[in-house]
């Protein structure tokens, strides 16, 4: 097969991906509300954890965003009540994650997705309702904007509480966004932040009354979807000089994987699961509290 | 004429510029309230747009600031009711702007003025009352401090709404000041921000009740004008390590000029003018709204 | 004495330093509430100025923190009513400060302490009650987190008001934390900021009601002290990519020392002392006001 034919076939596969009105990968739904305005809905009930399959799905989504010539706005939301996007799936085999080939940036698939999302020439918006912990905070930080339910948002990084290091870049991104002092508070206190505090810290753009959140994001996304794609992409390209170097997200990922091999993390996660972590209930609802209760 | 004589004559012209109590360039008034405390009043009624003449005036002002040995504080304000400093003058010929020689930084005159203002060894303060859109936002970001009328301020970048890219550096400066997420909200939502929101975001230092704004800025400027010029200049020099590289403002300018040559911008500006843009009235008053109404 | 013996003796001294439950250097008390949670209490009545002895004490403290294998949290507080940590001691001989050998970073002892504190693999917390001016602001900025009494905090940099430049790095650190515009307001207006304004600006993490401050910090420190030291250290290491280069703190120190040799600073400090500066009373209580009253 000649290179030209291969390229054409690849383009054709991508075209068909692009042409359909919706893509349902296993745990993410991509819905095209219009050619310019897409929604990606995270749907892994009951508590929206992220395992290897969801990482593969995010890879598929970002490829679709990058090759499309019409999309200007992508909103990320959740179909699971009480959870935007949660910590990783600790019932999955770690090897299923670590054996995935790196993405085009050379980074492993999760940080690869995050840095490509920040660089994609479209406006990305996190619509946050429910718990956004670990990966949920990390995708919020990778999105261009984020709007949170005032009553129903919990934002947090929780990793240090079980002897881990966060894997999706909050050490690189939070200090630029909310200042080094509040970044270290988030990363070392592990508090469950309310929408109101997240807004006060600048962690999210705005926290809105829950009843107004959907209409606000819909209006904003529809508005931006009218504008010229070239202008959006050029403006974002020039803003992106402020992004941390990709290598910092790689270093965070490496520290995260290293932490998982240590007894502190293995014991911490085990102790938390013994109390009810990883299924609906009080530990997931009040994770910050329980991180202070397990033996360390 | 020998180089020495030319230098002397140039110095003499600058001395006389410096010695006078006030300079009235065509659209900017420089008033020396004291040798240490200057005001620059923007005055291009009815809506304070910025065309090539005002850019030339800003060049003259920054030269006067740089060569003066006594000035410590420069306040920028407006003589035009309802407008601090507005978008560019689209009735002017673009060539009149693009044909100007670059300034001493090598950048075109508007970004050249902005980066020199940020580096000048004096405290620069924007006193904002009325609309500060496009150029008005950009000079705010270039000033060292900014204080805004709580009731009468509208801060915005509007360019993407007509297919343009902003030309005076907000992509380089806003992420550092208000975080990447809110910077992209400003640059892609194009909302008319109130003084209150601008303060909450850190876009301006403070929003004050309109009745208190003038006295507050007067007291602050008078206070700083007492202090030692060397100490002010040294302190600012060390703060300025946090400035974005000048080359980023150049890249933004280039993208802006490129955007003006595209049909999207030409059609966008035309559609807006057809609705009443560029003269006093509802489109100028509610620009964010109308940016969502024109065809794209 | 052979190098090996010398090293062993040095290690032994440091071990004993580490093993004791508390260290009382002359003006700083180090108390180990547990092996993992230390307090450093600043105690130089009546107004907690910092002279050469306190700088030596801070050097001893940072060495103890760095070599200890168990400490995870260090809280800095004050034993002096009304003062967290104040400006420098102008009754001390400048030579006693400038003749100290540089620390391990190559920087003079005060900036050396500050950059090592920011890099130490423990969580450092400033508990601020009373005036935190000059050095007190600088240690706040070097700590990982800071919590302030809402009613009893005064945060400020005051140096430019007497023709000086700040010596402990606020020019390098404040723009990243609170934005360039508010950093220059702090550094050039010299205002006495309340806890409430400091929180609104992000200068401190939070301002709490005075009656709740101690319990809040105690709970947070106790909480973090439970977590895995490796995870804390790795997380902080990755956050620290956002620190300004050490060389910027060195440049600020050099400008500070240079400023002290100029008549402006010598006259300014003299004029302030003539009004009651440097002892308990109205000038220390309302320093910002008096900085505007002395002749310049």
């Amino acid at each position: 097969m000649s290179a030209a034919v291969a390229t054409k076939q690849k383009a054709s596969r991508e075209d068909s991906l692009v042409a359909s009105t919706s893509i349902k990968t296993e745990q993410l739904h991509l819905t095209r509300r219009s050619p310019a305005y897409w929604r990606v809905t995270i749907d892994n009930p009951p508590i929206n954890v992220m395992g290897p399959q969801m990482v593969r799905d995010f890879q598929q989504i970002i490829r679709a965003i990058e090759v499309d010539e019409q999309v200007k706005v992508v909103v990320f939301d959740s179909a699971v009540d009480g959870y935007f996007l949660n910590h990783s799936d600790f019932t999955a085999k770690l090897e299923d994650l670590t054996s995935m080939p790196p993405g085009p940036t050379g980074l492993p698939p999760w940080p690869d997705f995050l840095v490509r999302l920040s660089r994609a020439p479209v406006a990305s918006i996190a619509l946050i309702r429910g718990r956004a912990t670990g990966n949920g905070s990390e995708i919020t930080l990778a999105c261009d904007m984020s709007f949170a339910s005032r009553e129903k948002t919990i934002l947090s990084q929780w990793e240090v509480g079980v002897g881990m290091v966060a894997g999706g870049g909050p050490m690189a991104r939070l200090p630029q966004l909310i200042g080094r002092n509040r970044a270290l508070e988030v990363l070392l206190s592990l508090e469950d932040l309310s929408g109101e505090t997240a807004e006060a810290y600048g962690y999210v753009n705005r926290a809105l009354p829950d009843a107004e959140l959907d209409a606000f994001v819909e209006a904003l996304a529809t508005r931006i979807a009218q504008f010229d794609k070239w202008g959006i992409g050029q403006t974002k390209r020039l803003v992106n000089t402020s992004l941390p170097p990709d290598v910092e997200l790689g270093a965070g990922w490496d520290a995260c994987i290293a932490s998982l091999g240590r007894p502190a993390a293995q014991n911490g996660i085990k102790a938390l699961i013994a109390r009810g972590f990883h299924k609906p209930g009080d530990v997931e609802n009040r994770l910050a509290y329980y991180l202070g209760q397990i033996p360390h």
Side-chain angles (χ1 to χ4, degrees), chain A:
Chain A
M1 183 165 70
S2 76
V5 171
T7 303
K8 194 174 276 181
Q9 287 191 351
K10 180 158 175 291
S12 157
R13 276 200 309 280
E14 282 167 346
D15 283 352
S16 67
L17 187 74
V18 170
S20 62
T21 305
S22 80
I23 298 175
K24 173 137 181 30
T25 51
E26 287 193 34
Q27 299 175 357
L28 302 175
H29 311 232
L30 192 165
T31 312
R32 291 180 177 79
R33 299 210 171 178
S34 77
Y37 167 24
W38 298 6
R39 284 251 175 171
V40 176
T41 302
I42 305 163
D43 189 13
N44 186 27
I47 57 164
N48 254 1
V49 292
M50 184 178 86
Q53 180 57 48
M54 193 184 284
V55 173
R56 270 189 294 273
D57 289 359
F58 276 122
Q59 281 286 323
Q60 192 169 343
I61 294 291
I62 193 65
R63 272 194 301 274
I65 292 170
E66 287 175 342
V67 301
D68 193 89
E69 291 179 5
Q70 294 182 277
V71 62
K72 303 179 198 172
V73 185
V74 181
V75 173
F76 291 84
D77 62 12
S78 162
V80 177
D81 195 43
Y83 298 89
F84 171 65
L85 173 59
N86 206 344
H87 52 75
S88 294
D89 182 353
F90 291 95
T91 66
K93 277 198 286 187
L94 182 60
E95 297 72 45
D96 288 349
L97 192 66
T98 54
S99 63
M100 287 186 201
T105 62
L107 293 169
W110 177 238
D112 175 79
F113 163 74
L114 294 170
V115 304
R116 288 163 71 192
L117 180 61
S118 299
R119 290 238 173 67
V122 305
S124 51
I125 300 175
L127 188 169
I128 305 170
R129 179 178 280 122
R131 181 171 282 284
T133 281
N135 306 302
S137 162
E138 292 163 4
I139 196 172
T140 299
L141 295 171
C143 279
D144 300 330
M145 293 171 244
S146 54
F147 300 92
S149 164
R150 185 169 291 275
E151 300 92 335
K152 298 187 178 169
T153 291
I154 302 170
L155 254 172
S156 76
Q157 299 287 156
W158 69 294
E159 292 81 355
V160 168
V162 290
M164 287 176 57
V165 174
M171 289 83 77
R173 293 187 193 264
L174 271 173
Q176 294 189 355
L177 201 61
I178 65 174
R180 182 179 185 274
N181 54 0
R182 287 169 173 169
L184 280 163
E185 182 187 348
V186 168
L187 291 163
L188 299 182
S189 81
L190 322 173
E191 280 304 339
D192 285 333
L193 297 185
S194 67
E196 199 170 353
T197 300
E199 179 185 56
Y201 278 16
Y203 200 154
V204 297
N205 287 57
R206 301 186 189 213
L208 293 126
D210 191 71
E212 298 172 19
L213 176 63
D214 293 325
F216 179 92
V217 171
E218 183 66 18
L220 177 61
T222 306
R223 177 178 173 83
I224 297 175
Q226 299 174 79
F227 300 148
D228 180 53
K229 185 174 166 76
W230 184 89
I232 295 169
Q234 289 292 311
T235 297
K236 223 185 121 172
R237 171 179 73 85
L238 290 156
V239 163
N240 280 345
T241 56
S242 68
L243 287 173
D246 290 359
V247 73
E248 290 192 26
L249 274 91
W253 179 262
D254 291 346
C256 176
I257 297 300
S259 72
L260 289 170
R262 298 178 68 249
Q266 289 167 5
N267 296 336
I269 294 165
K270 203 175 295 175
L272 210 54
I273 287 176
R275 273 161 181 77
F277 180 63
H278 224 286
K279 60 188 183 207
D282 202 49
V283 178
E284 289 289 342
N285 293 343
R286 299 197 296 144
L287 182 57
Y289 170 78
Y290 284 93
L291 289 169
Q293 298 303 311
I294 57 172
H296 288 90

